[in-house]
Amino acid sequence: MQLTGLHHLTAITARAADNLAFYTRILGLRLVKKTVNQDDLTAYHLFYADGVAAPGSDVTFFDWPAPPERRGTNSIVRTGLRVAGPDAIAWWREHLAREGVAHVTPIERDGRLTLDFEDGEGQRLSLVDDGGAGPAHPWTGSPVPAPHQIRGLGPVRLAVAETARTEAVLTEVLGMRHDRTFELPEGTVRVYAMGEGGAGAELQVMQDASAPACQGAGAVHHVAFRVPDADYGTWADRLRTKRMPSSGPVDRYYFRSLYFREPNGILFEIATEGPGFTADEPLESLGERLALPPFLEPRRAEIDAGLKPL
C-alpha cells in the first residue's frame, strides 16, 4: 500500500475570470471541470489539467474574495509544473516574456532545469524539466505546442517551522521515503518520494522560522496525494490506526478523499484516482458547462444564480 504520486493541488484565487485566462490561454492547460466548492456553494472550484484530465495533472482553484496571501512559514511555497526537456524550458522563457509574465532566468535546481515565475496573484510556480519521464497527454485545444505542454504536477515544496514533526508524518504515516537533500539560498531542502519517485511524486520540505503564513489570494490551500481506488478503505483505516485526526471518508463524486493536517498545520488530502472527471461529462466536452455532483443537481438554478459569470 503506497501513495503513487501527487493527485492535485488546490489554491485560492480572488479573480476567477483572470485565473481562467491565465491558466488556459497563457499556461495552455485545459479547464476539465467547472464546478463549485462542495463546502461553499457560492464559490467556483476550477480544475485545470492535461488533455485527458489525468490524476496528477490537476491544478485547481477555489474562487474566494480574499485579500492577498501573507507569506510565511507553515505553508506550501512553490508548485512545480513538469515539462519535457531544455527545449521546452527555452520555449516557455520566450513565451512568458511575450505574454509579459515576470520570470527569472532558468537555473539547474536539484539536477533539473527550472524556470520560476508567478501568476497575476502571486501564486509561486516553477516549470521543471522532468526529462520526459512517464506518459504525456497533450490537449489539442492548447495554445502551447504539444511537445512543450505542461505534463503534470511536481514537485511541491513546503516550508515549516518544525521539520521533524512534518517528516515523521511523511515517513511513518504516509510511507514516503527520504530520497536526497539539496541547497537553496534560504536553506536546506529535504526531498521525500512516493511510489516510483520522480518529479511527479515528490514533496520537498524546508525549515522556515518566519511568522506563519495567512492564506489568501495567491496561496495554496492544500495538496493531495494519489492512491488506487482499491486502497482507499485501507488508508482510512491507517489514519485511524496511526491516531491521525482526519475528516474520515469524503465522497467528492469525481474522487474520494481523506483530509488531515500535518503537525505544522498544512492541509493534506489523500485522493483516489477514480472515478474521474468523465463521470458526468464526455471527455471531448469537459469543462464546458457548470458540472454538479448528483446531490447538488436539484439546486442547480440556485447555485448558478449565485456565481459570477466567467
Side-chain angles (χ1 to χ4, degrees), residues 20-201:
L20 175 65
F22 184 86
Y23 285 86
T24 58
R25 187 180 66 81
I26 295 179
L27 295 193
L29 294 169
R30 183 181 185 187
L31 178 66
V32 296
K33 192 62 60 178
K34 179 170 65 173
T35 185
V36 292
N37 182 325
Q38 294 178 13
D39 302 313
D40 177 4
L41 303 184
T42 67
Y44 281 114
H45 192 179
L46 304 175
F47 290 77
Y48 307 105
D50 65 10
V52 300
S57 70
D58 304 345
V59 182
T60 93
F61 287 86
F62 296 147
D63 167 35
W64 284 333
E69 173 193 25
R70 186 185 72 210
R71 292 180 177 178
T73 194
N74 300 339
S75 63
I76 296 170
V77 298
R78 188 161 294 277
T79 302
L81 303 170
R82 296 181 288 108
V83 296
D87 288 348
I89 294 289
W91 184 92
W92 276 100
R93 185 183 186 186
E94 294 178 1
H95 175 66
L96 294 178
R98 285 193 301 270
E99 296 291 344
V101 178
H103 59 282
V104 300
T105 302
I107 61 170
E108 186 170 296
R109 180 184 297 140
D110 189 30
R112 299 179 181 124
L113 191 61
T114 302
L115 171 56
D116 295 340
F117 67 105
E118 296 182 3
D119 74 5
E121 294 178 284
Q123 189 68 232
R124 287 167 283 185
L125 304 167
S126 296
L127 292 159
V128 179
D129 175 11
D130 69 356
H137 308 285
W139 175 38
T140 57
S142 177
V144 177
H148 303 326
Q149 286 183 29
I150 291 168
R151 295 158 45 83
L153 275 171
V156 169
R157 188 182 311 146
L158 319 178
V160 295
E162 299 183 45
T163 56
R165 299 176 69 199
T166 296
E167 290 167 349
V169 169
L170 298 184
T171 57
E172 297 170 18
V173 177
L174 295 178
M176 297 186 194
R177 61 191 181 276
H178 177 238
D179 191 71
R180 62 191 183 278
T181 62
F182 67 94
E183 298 296 325
L184 291 177
E186 54 267 42
T188 299
V189 179
R190 293 171 63 84
V191 179
Y192 290 83
M194 298 165 262
E196 296 180 359

Side-chain angles (χ1 to χ4, degrees), residues 286-304:
L286 288 177
E288 294 180 5
R289 63 187 289 272
L290 179 66
L292 297 174
F295 65 88
L296 291 178
E297 191 60 48
R299 301 177 62 183
R300 173 175 288 274
E302 168 199 347
I303 292 169
D304 203 12

